[in-house]
Amino acid sequence: MVLVLAYNSFGFCQEINPQISFDYTLMPATSENISAQLFDASLAIPLEFGALNIKPIVGLRNYDFEYWEGMSFNTEPVERIHNIYSGVDINYSLDKSWELGGGVEVSNASNLDADQYVITGNAHLKYNFKTVFPVAVEVGALYDSPLGKLEFLPTVALTTTYRKYQIQLGFPKSSLQYKLSENSMLETAYTFEGDYFHLADELIFNSVEPAREVGLSQQKLSLGYTYNLDPNWSFSLSGGYLLKNELSFYTGNDDTIYDLDLGAGPVFSTGIKFNFFNK
């Protein structure tokens, strides 16, 4: 699909190639005998305007938790969570060495109440060194919940490439990639991941004020495989272990009421991505 815009003597032609992604994650029974499934479906439209790249995205993250019997609170509000989100990622190349990037996401898991949206974002500056082996340094900040609570955190990444290997050290992700072929890759990674949402129904604990918000925080060590079948199709498989896996419940003022340890345990995921109109 091609989009053509023109105004008097100015104009440009933009080819539009929507991307659809489906990801499924399974967390079998953990050390706390709690299991979970996550299904994430999204639609993205990458756009290029010279040195400026923009990618709007909309999607749904669906969580399905199964708790052990005899929990000390009503688990129904956090058994099935449907988190609708939309956002945009932006990247701008200042020159061959400097890049600016960032993104914003707006999500809602509380029956689309106007005052229950969660806004997260990030921004970074990247410098590519001109050395024998490519080296890039990236520093920035994010407002998100990789540690379980919405907060501002610094981000950093040092990335270098040597032949078929690429090493990244930083926060919230460190990884080692190995290029098996032109179409396939192996990656081992240690990541800090999280999600945050308002509850559709309040939860009552042994406190005066009910819980209205919940944050999910995970630390994961994983090994994954990605294969590009052709310019349109790609799929991925991954297995790993959750070293931290926790739900934190908060009041409307972000005060912590209760931390629930979901337990360490294995995690498996698979995903498919399809690019429309790719040549």
Side-chain angles (χ1 to χ4, degrees):
M1 182 183 295
V2 178
L3 174 66
V4 179
L5 297 178
Y7 179 73
N8 290 340
S9 60
F10 171 78
F12 66 87
C13 178
Q14 172 65 59
E15 184 174 313
I16 299 179
N17 298 312
Q19 299 175 346
I20 291 181
S21 298
F22 299 96
D23 295 287
Y24 173 77
T25 300
L26 172 64
M27 184 181 72
T30 66
S31 57
E32 298 295 329
N33 201 28
I34 297 174
S35 61
Q37 300 178 74
L38 165 62
F39 179 75
D40 189 339
S42 64
L43 169 65
I45 304 178
L47 303 172
E48 295 184 12
F49 304 97
L52 178 65
N53 295 313
I54 302 175
K55 185 167 73 172
I57 185 171
V58 295
L60 169 67
R61 288 188 291 267
N62 183 80
Y63 296 90
D64 189 350
F65 291 96
E66 293 186 10
Y67 302 88
W68 52 272
E69 296 182 4
M71 297 290 287
S72 60
F73 64 94
N74 176 24
T75 61
E76 186 174 349
V78 283
E79 288 178 358
R80 290 175 179 81
I81 300 171
H82 311 290
N83 204 13
I84 301 171
Y85 63 91
S86 64
V88 61
D89 292 326
I90 300 174
N91 189 80
Y92 181 71
S93 297
L94 300 172
D95 54 34
K96 292 182 179 180
S97 298
W98 292 96
E99 295 178 22
L100 281 173
V104 176
E105 180 184 286
V106 180
S107 62
N108 186 288
S110 303
N111 302 321
L112 299 181
D113 291 336
D115 61 343
Q116 300 297 303
Y117 288 99
V118 174
I119 300 176
T120 58
N122 67 86
H124 66 263
L125 177 64
K126 182 178 181 180
Y127 183 77
N128 299 293
F129 289 90
K130 298 177 181 178
T131 57
V132 177
F133 305 114
V135 176
V137 175
E138 181 181 306
V139 293
L142 59 79
Y143 180 70
D144 210 328
S145 58
L147 302 181
K149 191 171 186 177
L150 280 177
E151 58 185 335
F152 285 101
L153 293 169
T155 61
V156 62
L158 172 64
T159 305
T160 183
T161 303
Y162 175 70
R163 295 183 179 178
K164 294 184 177 183
Y165 294 91
Q166 184 180 87
I167 300 173
Q168 176 180 311
L169 301 175
F171 174 83
K173 179 181 179 180
S174 295
S175 65
L176 171 63
Q177 296 179 358
Y178 178 73
K179 192 173 183 179
L180 296 170
S181 67
E182 290 299 321
N183 298 322
S184 60
M185 178 188 69
L186 281 175
E187 179 185 49
T188 181
Y190 189 86
T191 55
F192 293 77
E193 301 175 347
D195 205 352
Y196 197 92
F197 25 81
H198 294 270
L199 294 172
D201 299 305
E202 295 179 345
L203 268 175
I204 305 297
F205 293 92
N206 296 325
S207 60
V208 176
E209 193 169 357
R212 296 182 173 87
E213 303 167 10
V214 61
L216 171 67
S217 61
Q218 297 177 330
Q219 294 180 28
K220 180 173 65 174
L221 179 64
S222 63
L223 175 65
Y225 172 76
T226 302
Y227 183 77
N228 299 310
L229 286 81
D230 56 39
N232 292 317
W233 287 96
S234 66
F235 76 89
S236 61
L237 294 171
S238 177
Y241 195 83
L242 292 172
L243 301 172
K244 179 185 178 182
N245 189 25
E246 188 174 270
L247 281 178
S248 297
F249 298 87
Y250 305 99
T251 67
N253 297 320
D254 294 332
D255 296 324
T256 304
I257 293 179
Y258 186 74
D259 290 322
L260 175 62
D261 184 6
L262 299 176
V267 59
F268 306 96
S269 62
T270 183
I272 296 175
K273 180 181 289 185
F274 179 70
N275 298 305
F276 287 91
F277 312 123
N278 249 356
K279 296 181 181 180

